[in-house]
Amino acid sequence: MSEALSPERIRADVADLLGCAPSEIAPDDDLRDLGLDSVRLMTLVERWRADGAAELELPDLAERPELARWQSLLTGEQA
């Protein structure tokens, strides 16, 4: 979806909003269990849209709130 969004950047953005270190998020963690709520999710959508993922929609992320899934979706790389 966007070349500006690397897997590392996606992990760092999620960790920033969750208030934890990027290394604390496992690829298959359900991010809701780590404290991700709808407000934070919308913040990520808006941030990533502004950085080149213009087609990104909230349901794209809410459907499967797992880091590996998001990284695959946003970078076009297989997780």
Side-chain angles (χ1 to χ4, degrees), residues 5-79:
L5 295 172
S6 68
E8 296 78 17
R9 159 77 190 283
I10 295 163
R11 182 187 292 264
D13 285 350
V14 172
D16 179 54
L17 282 184
L18 294 176
C20 66
S23 62
E24 294 179 47
I25 304 172
D28 295 325
D29 281 345
D30 184 323
L31 299 173
R32 293 172 297 198
D33 293 341
L34 299 179
L36 187 76
D37 57 25
S38 59
V39 173
R40 288 182 176 106
L41 188 57
M42 197 62 219
T43 299
L44 289 170
V45 169
E46 292 302 321
R47 181 181 297 177
W48 293 338
R49 279 183 187 161
D51 288 337
E55 303 294 317
L56 184 65
E57 298 291 337
L58 184 69
D60 297 333
L61 300 183
E63 182 179 287
R64 285 186 48 205
E66 300 157 356
L67 182 65
R69 165 78 175 126
W70 291 3
Q71 289 170 325
S72 177
L73 177 71
L74 290 162
T75 64
E77 298 174 10
Q78 292 298 319

